[in-house]
Amino acid sequence: MGQIGITLLLSDSTNSGVKDFSISEKEIAKSILDTMKRTQGRLIISTFASNVHRVQQILYAAVQCNRKVCIFGRSMENVVEIGRKLGHIRVPDSTFVEPDMINTLPADQICLICTGSQGEPLAALSRIANGTHRWIRIMPGDTVVFSSSPIPGNANSVNQVVNKLTRVGANVITNSVLN
């Protein structure tokens, strides 16, 4: 890169302060699939919309487990739509359901993918936790997975969402191998 005239490279890494190696994406994919297989009720997974590969892993696991998927959060909807158009996200059209269909299917056949893994107040997961989401209310037996680690500085916001989800009856998975 230096030979073509780049004089400065700036980068960051959420886990740069963590000793040892990060787990591989193959391990994360296996963990997502295992979690989806074990979960008896609805599964709500929150991740960065910009992590197209992670979204694809979640969708692939949903297909393997015969779960219908509903996407929540404007950025997540946009990324999935564009990723599918460009061929980076490859799942059958029949995988997806509209929001008005999620309450007509058995809970163990639903996977919701949403924004809000960093505790953003207006993101889908925060609205779900607050009970203000248009389509989703937490039900006993729901499992919520945070499939990304909090960015430094976001831990308090994430913890507030986790606490609210727990109080309304969700099983919450954080700091797991999915991170």
Side-chain angles (χ1 to χ4, degrees):
M1 293 176 117
Q3 292 175 346
I4 60 171
I6 297 172
T7 56
L8 176 65
L9 171 66
L10 298 174
S11 67
D12 66 45
S13 174
T14 301
N15 293 315
S16 63
V18 177
K19 292 182 181 182
D20 256 338
F21 293 96
S22 296
I23 61 171
S24 73
E25 285 297 316
K26 284 185 180 181
E27 285 297 313
I28 291 171
K30 182 182 179 310
S31 182
I32 290 169
L33 182 60
D34 290 345
T35 299
M36 202 162 302
K37 285 179 180 177
R38 282 193 324 266
T39 301
Q40 307 250 330
R42 286 192 311 184
L43 183 59
I44 303 167
I45 303 180
S46 182
T47 191
F48 291 106
S50 59
N51 190 340
V52 177
H53 184 66
R54 180 69 51 84
V55 173
Q56 170 64 40
Q57 290 172 320
I58 297 165
L59 289 166
Y60 179 73
V63 169
Q64 294 295 326
C65 294
N66 296 312
R67 286 183 183 257
K68 297 294 183 185
V69 175
C70 195
I71 307 293
F72 291 101
R74 190 174 299 120
S75 60
M76 189 69 72
E77 292 167 3
N78 290 338
V79 164
V80 170
E81 180 183 348
I82 292 167
R84 292 185 76 211
K85 282 182 182 174
L86 296 176
H88 298 293
I89 294 177
R90 294 179 298 274
V91 293
D93 291 343
S94 62
T95 302
F96 298 96
V97 295
E98 294 298 320
D100 60 351
M101 294 296 297
I102 61 176
N103 292 322
T104 66
L105 297 167
D108 64 348
Q109 292 179 15
I110 295 289
C111 176
L112 310 176
I113 304 175
C114 64
T115 57
S117 64
Q118 297 302 301
E120 307 93 327
L122 299 178
L125 190 58
S126 289
R127 289 183 286 124
I128 293 167
N130 290 327
T132 59
H133 196 279
R134 179 179 176 191
W135 298 103
I136 309 165
R137 298 281 180 271
I138 294 294
M139 300 183 304
D142 284 350
T143 297
V144 179
V145 175
F146 285 75
S147 83
S148 54
S149 298
I151 293 170
N154 289 348
N156 286 340
S157 297
V158 172
N159 289 338
Q160 287 176 7
V161 173
V162 169
N163 290 341
K164 288 177 183 178
L165 289 166
T166 303
R167 280 189 208 113
V168 295
N171 304 313
V172 180
I173 300 173
T174 61
N175 298 325
S176 66
V177 75
L178 295 179
N179 294 324

